[in-house]
Amino acid sequence: MAAQPGELEIEAVSIADVRAEWDTLAPVTSNPFLTVEWCEAWLEHGGVPCTPRIFAARRADGSLAAVLPLAVVRGRFVRKLRFLGFGAANELGPVCDPAERAVAVAALSRAIEATRREWDVFLGESLAGAGWADALDATLVSREGNPVVHGTWEDWDGYLASRSKSFRVELRRQERKLAQRGLAYRSVTSRDELDPALDRLFELHRARWNEQASPWFAGREMLHRAFAAVALDRGWLRLHLLELEGRVAAVYLGLRFGSTAWYYQLGRETEDRAASLGVVLVAHAVREAQAEGVADFNLGPGTQRYKERLATEDPGVETVGIGRGLRGRAALAAARRRGG
């Protein structure tokens, strides 16, 4: 039964207090970054000293309506209230049925108020959709594209027919050319395969970027290895390899949770840019997800051209903030200038 915002009661809890209920509620969100497993991996390996401030929002009958996985991060001058997993997650927010948006907003508002003496600025980052600033009486800090492939098709050709002619012709041509070089796809399904595949992913990623350019991936390797291992055991991991001439030329790291597939990270050889290895492998991941019956494929934040060509819509993600006191308002203004 849906809760009415005015009926909610919130209480401060630990992960252990609500683990079983949280595990039951999380799949309704279809968001792997709202799971206990993600929060625990981030707390252990994320490298951000913080104090978890987790709240449970309960209906009048005592059942769990939402979890607010927050944390207070104390800097040298400013204390920030943020969601656990910030910086490394595609989407964050209350752990709540998406259909109960009013409940999520009410629960978050009460958690923000309950901790008001502990922080100077609240930053709600990577919130799905729009309208969070008005709902929370907050300031819009930034808005970013978040393309999604939404819908079902009879087969892959049916989906491609919904894309532009230039894109489908180009994609098919690239796959044919790569087939002449021994193109093969392989997916990781066992622990024995996991570490070598991740080794190659980080190798390819670092060859193109570095820890400074990609602090929340290359710079947080232990976090991603730990969560990938848990995700594999839970059946959530989608780790695809693209092989050419017997070598792994590209690696795709994604997830499947609930009714949604998530693209998270990619590594590819850069010597032959014209081969479009990354686009071909991401398209393969979409094809595999559709074969599983997935109706929503989240391509991740960003408006790269290939994502726009694959996507059917873009609900976006928002970051909003509330500043209190001189330091809080100054920190919020600085976040707006940075765009998040």
Side-chain angles (χ1 to χ4, degrees):
M1 181 175 65
Q4 297 301 313
E7 298 173 348
L8 293 175
E9 295 290 337
I10 73 163
E11 60 176 335
V13 296
S14 68
I15 290 178
D17 292 334
V18 292
R19 176 184 290 275
E21 294 173 289
W22 189 342
D23 282 343
T24 300
L25 182 59
V28 179
T29 72
S30 293
N31 185 345
F33 305 106
L34 298 183
T35 61
V36 171
E37 291 86 348
W38 170 260
C39 289
E40 288 184 327
W42 189 88
L43 283 168
E44 184 174 357
H45 302 290
V48 180
C50 66
T51 302
R53 294 293 277 125
I54 300 169
F55 292 86
R58 297 192 178 277
R59 303 177 180 89
D61 64 3
S63 60
L64 187 69
V67 176
L68 294 310
L70 300 166
V72 176
V73 182
R74 290 177 170 82
R76 185 176 179 184
F77 301 110
V78 179
R79 302 166 301 167
K80 296 179 179 180
L81 181 69
R82 311 174 84 163
F83 282 99
L84 290 176
F86 70 85
N90 285 12
E91 287 184 12
L92 293 170
V95 185
C96 185
D97 187 334
E100 296 192 67
R101 171 72 174 259
V103 171
V105 169
L108 180 54
S109 295
R110 294 181 193 182
I112 290 170
E113 182 62 23
T115 56
R116 67 190 309 271
R117 296 183 181 276
E118 302 173 41
W119 52 269
D120 303 299
V121 63
F122 161 71
L123 286 177
E125 292 145 303
S126 303
L127 300 170
W132 288 94
D134 289 342
L136 294 169
D137 194 20
T139 298
L140 179 63
V141 174
S142 64
R143 180 168 177 78
E144 187 175 10
N146 190 41
V148 173
V149 179
H150 174 72
T152 57
W153 291 266
E154 185 175 343
D155 54 26
W156 177 245
D157 287 338
Y159 161 72
L160 283 184
S162 73
R163 306 295 85 216
S164 70
K165 180 179 180 180
S166 62
F167 177 69
R168 62 177 179 265
V169 168
E170 179 182 337
L171 181 61
R172 285 166 172 159
R173 182 175 63 247
Q174 292 292 5
E175 276 203 305
R176 287 196 300 270
K177 290 172 63 177
L178 291 174
Q180 296 171 3
R181 298 169 58 188
L183 171 66
Y185 298 109
R186 181 162 55 88
S187 297
V188 169
T189 58
S190 71
R191 278 294 188 102
D192 290 344
E193 300 171 295
L194 180 61
D195 281 341
L198 291 176
D199 290 345
R200 183 57 171 158
L201 172 60
F202 281 101
E203 177 187 8
L204 290 168
H205 189 80
R206 288 193 172 100
R208 186 180 183 195
W209 308 106
N210 55 44
E211 277 78 356
Q212 288 69 41
S214 180
W216 282 102
F217 187 70
R220 295 293 182 271
E221 183 172 342
M222 290 302 297
L223 165 63
H224 300 300
R225 286 184 180 274
F227 187 64
V230 172
L232 177 63
D233 292 342
R234 300 288 192 275
W236 306 340
L237 188 69
R238 298 296 183 270
L239 189 56
H240 302 308
L241 313 180
L242 184 156
E243 298 180 339
L244 288 178
E245 299 161 348
R247 71 182 187 282
V248 176
V251 182
Y252 165 96
L253 173 60
L255 300 158
R256 161 76 189 277
F257 187 68
S259 61
T260 302
W262 297 75
Y263 166 31
Y264 189 69
Q265 190 55 266
L266 180 82
R268 60 175 175 78
E269 293 181 345
T270 58
E271 291 81 3
D272 186 4
R273 293 180 181 275
S276 301
L277 298 179
V279 177
V280 169
L281 184 51
V282 174
H284 171 74
V286 175
R287 178 168 52 210
E288 290 291 291
Q290 290 180 354
E292 289 184 40
V294 172
D296 289 287
F297 190 104
N298 189 307
L299 289 158
T303 54
Q304 294 93 330
R305 176 61 174 155
Y306 76 91
K307 291 185 180 181
E308 293 179 336
R309 299 176 83 183
L310 284 164
T312 61
E313 57 191 68
D314 187 347
V317 290
E318 291 184 343
T319 294
V320 302
I322 300 171
R324 289 199 169 115
L326 183 61
R327 289 181 178 180
R329 290 192 295 271
L332 182 58
R336 293 188 70 190
R337 287 193 296 272
R338 292 193 305 270

